[in-house]
Amino acid sequence: MKRPILVLSTAAITSGLFAVGFRLVTPTVVVAQSNTNLVVSAAASLKEPLDEIKPLYQQTQPNINISYNFGASGALQQQIEKGAPSDIYISTAKNQVDALEEKGMLVPKTRGIMANNRLVLIVPKSHSVGITSFYTLADPKVKKIAIGEPKNVPSGRYAKQVFKKLGIFEKVKPKLVYVDKVSQVLASVESGNADAGLGYATDAKVSNKVKVAVAADGKFYSPIIYPVAVLKNSSNVEAAKEFIKFLSSEQAKVVLKKYGFIVNVK
């Protein structure tokens, strides 16, 4: 009579082990999911708002870690094409995102526009050489004008478009000082190493050392948009999609607007 009891006890213990084993395996999967790390390659001009948006997002998604890789849009594109690990790409122009899409490097239907910006002519606040318009940049007393390198920095390409539309490119060309990031345009003017610079309205807004001499007419340059998309080599596609969705939330838009970006806020 004891043997059947032993058999039944063994079966019960085995069944219990399966139950315990299932409970042990499940948290392991959750832990793996909770340690998700997203790498966002973003244009340097987005640093301040994205830094502020990060903790807001992690209030609702505390297990998602966001790592930023800020730089010039063209340089970031080249890094991605060479295989640099990244989950999300945010540029300051559509050209770079178009190029990645043509190469099949974006997750389909994840592309969108995060915000818009404006191009402005900035000068040092502490001293000025009398720059009141784009045409005064041709004046001999203006020695150096900082702009982004047009091949890799979209703001530089926009600046070149404005100069050509106004018919002053050849006059100002000898004065142009090319930098690798739009943030360096701001730094050059702040330090006085340049008499003027063409950058984004958002950069001028966060500085107390420069002022806007004049805003470029939007008809003279291509629309400044910030396209965003999930990259196909991402190992966390769903998490990346969720972060992009948050970037279009009202909470994120309030932050972007605070820094001078153009967004639709209800």
Side-chain angles (χ1 to χ4, degrees):
M1 295 296 293
K2 293 181 180 179
R3 183 172 299 174
I5 294 174
L6 179 60
V7 171
L8 289 173
S9 299
T10 303
I13 292 171
T14 303
S15 175
L17 287 173
F18 276 121
V20 172
F22 181 76
R23 287 196 295 271
L24 289 173
V25 170
T26 301
T28 303
V29 175
V30 172
V31 169
Q33 292 175 338
S34 68
N35 289 335
T36 299
N37 181 62
L38 289 180
V39 179
V40 181
S41 293
S45 55
L46 287 168
K47 186 180 188 310
E48 285 79 11
L50 285 182
D51 281 343
E52 190 168 322
I53 286 171
K54 177 179 176 178
L56 296 177
Y57 181 69
Q58 291 181 321
Q59 286 177 5
T60 57
Q61 299 291 338
N63 298 319
I64 305 295
N65 182 52
I66 308 294
S67 298
Y68 292 126
N69 174 30
F70 293 110
S73 297
L76 293 175
Q77 175 200 344
Q78 292 173 14
Q79 291 174 16
I80 292 168
E81 290 178 345
K82 292 178 181 178
S86 191
D87 299 284
I88 296 170
Y89 177 49
I90 311 176
S91 174
T92 49
K94 66 187 294 292
N95 297 26
Q96 285 81 12
V97 183
D98 286 345
L100 294 178
E101 188 168 39
E102 290 171 3
K103 294 179 179 179
M105 301 185 74
L106 305 183
V107 175
K109 299 181 180 180
T110 62
R111 183 172 174 174
I113 296 176
M114 180 177 164
N116 293 70
N117 212 332
R118 300 180 182 89
L119 191 72
V120 296
L121 177 64
I122 58 175
V123 296
K125 185 176 288 186
S126 60
H127 64 280
S128 175
V129 291
I131 298 172
T132 57
S133 72
F134 282 98
Y135 293 106
T136 55
L137 293 176
D139 193 295
K141 60 188 175 184
V142 179
K143 306 298 182 183
K144 294 181 180 180
I145 306 166
I147 69 169
E149 166 55 57
K151 292 181 180 179
N152 293 318
V153 186
S155 67
R157 186 162 62 252
Y158 300 136
K160 191 173 180 179
Q161 289 174 353
V162 171
F163 291 146
K164 288 194 170 184
K165 285 285 186 179
L166 295 175
I168 61 173
F169 180 66
E170 293 303 323
K171 294 179 181 179
V172 301
K173 187 176 180 180
K175 307 178 182 184
L176 298 181
V177 178
Y178 298 105
V179 297
D180 296 328
K181 298 178 183 178
V182 66
S183 58
Q184 292 175 355
V185 171
L186 179 64
S188 296
V189 179
E190 285 182 330
S191 65
N193 289 330
D195 299 310
L198 267 81
Y200 297 131
T202 49
D203 292 324
K205 188 177 179 66
V206 299
S207 174
N208 60 4
K209 296 181 180 180
V210 305
K211 62 182 179 181
V212 175
V214 61
D217 192 319
K219 67 184 179 182
F220 293 144
Y221 60 93
S222 303
I224 302 175
I225 62 173
Y226 288 76
V228 55
V230 178
L231 298 167
K232 188 168 284 186
N233 66 351
S234 169
S235 55
N236 302 294
V237 171
E238 293 307 315
K241 287 181 180 179
E242 287 303 310
F243 183 64
I244 286 182
K245 187 181 297 184
F246 184 78
L247 292 178
S248 64
S249 68
E250 292 303 309
Q251 195 174 8
K253 286 179 179 179
V254 168
V255 175
L256 287 165
K257 187 175 182 181
K258 168 186 170 183
Y259 284 95
F261 290 89
I262 304 169
V263 293
N264 295 319
V265 180
K266 293 181 180 178

